[in-house]
Amino acid sequence: MILYFSGTGNSRYTAVLLGKALDDEVVSLNELISRESIGDFSSEKPYVFVLPTYCYHIPSVVEEFINEASFSGCCKAYFVMTCGAGTGGAGAVNKAICKEKKLNYMGTYTLVMPDNYLVMYAPSSREEAERILASLPEKISEIAGLIESGKTFNQKGSAVSKEVSIISSKLFNKFFVKPEKFSVTEDCVSCGVCVNNCPLHNVVLTEGVPEWGSNCVHCLSCICSCPKNAIEYGKGTKGRRRHYVFSDGKLK
């Protein structure tokens, strides 16, 4: 069973391709989390979590969901984490999560995708993003082959420890994620794409203008999926291109 969470489409597209390669069910955690559903999963195939990397950690909302969910059938769990550069000590954190859930941790695969955390970094150029997406099927084939053969992901470890990843994630969520810094420009056409794509129902339209609540994980779906590029986060995003990968692999 492929379970994914995605803000800007990287993990979703990866999950779609993995589902096809493994002939396996693909489940959107975005939908389950937005409905506040309790996960009760049963699968005869390994569980494959496809997730973005937020400050060397899986998204906090996904960690909470996994901790409350139940998993039966196959006890193997793989993690495929999309990122712009690296996943730090996320693998050690994922291993600890699996131990708590009595799942057999099979490793974390670091999958570099178009860098789109434009709040802090200049994102990949369009040419670089297209190159990465074009090379993805080959990497998916490698990942699927390891899973089908029951092998672990044995990628080179990171110098970042589990403890550093945990602390960094907590500090990031507490001090850096500030929903009040979102704003819209006059280019906004009140289309509601940001509202529909937010996995936590944190965006609402008030008299046609998007407003953000406090329940935010900085997935940047609102910013990157906006068809008019009308959403900003403070001053850091101004003038920076947006990457959004649709489920068929097309790049916005």
Side-chain angles (χ1 to χ4, degrees):
M1 181 181 291
I2 318 294
L3 303 109
Y4 77 88
F5 180 88
S6 187
T8 59
N10 282 335
S11 295
R12 177 179 57 193
Y13 183 45
T14 299
V16 168
L17 292 183
L18 261 181
K20 292 178 180 177
L22 294 169
D23 190 25
D24 204 352
E25 178 183 7
V26 178
V27 177
S28 170
L29 295 183
N30 291 52
E31 295 181 7
L32 296 178
I33 291 171
S34 69
R35 298 201 305 263
E36 298 184 353
S37 300
I38 299 298
D40 184 10
F41 302 104
S42 178
S43 176
E44 296 307 311
K45 294 184 178 182
Y47 292 99
V48 184
F49 297 93
V50 183
L51 309 168
T53 305
Y54 292 170
C55 201
Y56 300 145
H57 204 282
I58 66 173
S60 57
V61 67
V62 175
E63 182 179 14
E64 293 169 4
F65 180 87
I66 292 175
N67 287 336
E68 295 177 359
S70 63
F71 302 89
S72 61
C74 184
C75 63
K76 293 180 179 179
Y78 292 86
F79 288 77
V80 177
M81 294 188 64
T82 58
C83 61
T87 55
V93 176
N94 297 339
K95 184 177 182 178
I97 291 173
C98 286
K99 182 178 181 180
E100 186 70 23
K101 300 304 296 183
K102 295 181 171 56
L103 291 170
N104 184 11
Y105 175 68
M106 300 298 288
T108 295
Y109 191 103
T110 299
L111 184 63
V112 175
M113 292 288 281
D115 195 350
N116 50 23
Y117 193 61
L118 65 160
V119 167
M120 291 183 67
Y121 311 106
S124 307
S125 66
R126 185 174 185 88
E127 292 74 21
E128 175 68 5
E130 289 176 340
R131 184 194 65 78
I132 291 173
L133 292 175
S135 68
L136 185 58
E138 181 179 351
K139 295 178 181 177
I140 293 296
S141 179
E142 176 190 349
I143 295 170
L146 291 171
I147 295 172
E148 287 182 319
S149 62
K151 296 180 179 178
T152 58
F153 294 152
N154 289 319
Q155 291 183 306
K156 184 179 180 180
S158 169
V160 179
S161 68
K162 178 181 74 173
E163 290 72 24
V164 170
S165 286
I166 292 173
I167 293 172
S168 297
S169 178
K170 288 182 178 180
L171 292 175
F172 172 78
N173 289 321
K174 183 174 182 179
F175 296 109
F176 193 79
V177 180
K178 298 182 181 299
E180 64 270 15
K181 294 185 71 173
F182 286 103
S183 64
V184 293
T185 70
E186 59 185 13
D187 293 325
C188 175
V189 294
S190 306
C191 65
V193 168
C194 54
V195 175
N196 295 331
N197 285 349
C198 178
L200 302 182
H201 298 307
N202 191 53
V203 188
V204 296
L205 286 183
T206 301
E207 296 183 355
V209 179
E211 291 187 352
W212 284 260
S214 60
N215 192 23
C216 179
V217 291
H218 256 214
C219 72
L220 301 194
S221 176
C222 55
I223 290 180
C224 293
S225 66
C226 176
K228 296 296 184 180
N229 294 336
I231 299 175
E232 303 288 359
Y233 185 83
K235 297 180 180 179
T237 60
K238 292 183 178 179
R240 288 180 172 173
R241 64 162 287 104
R242 279 87 159 120
H243 289 306
Y244 187 82
V245 182
F246 294 96
S247 57
D248 60 0
K250 291 181 179 179
L251 185 67
K252 172 195 161 193

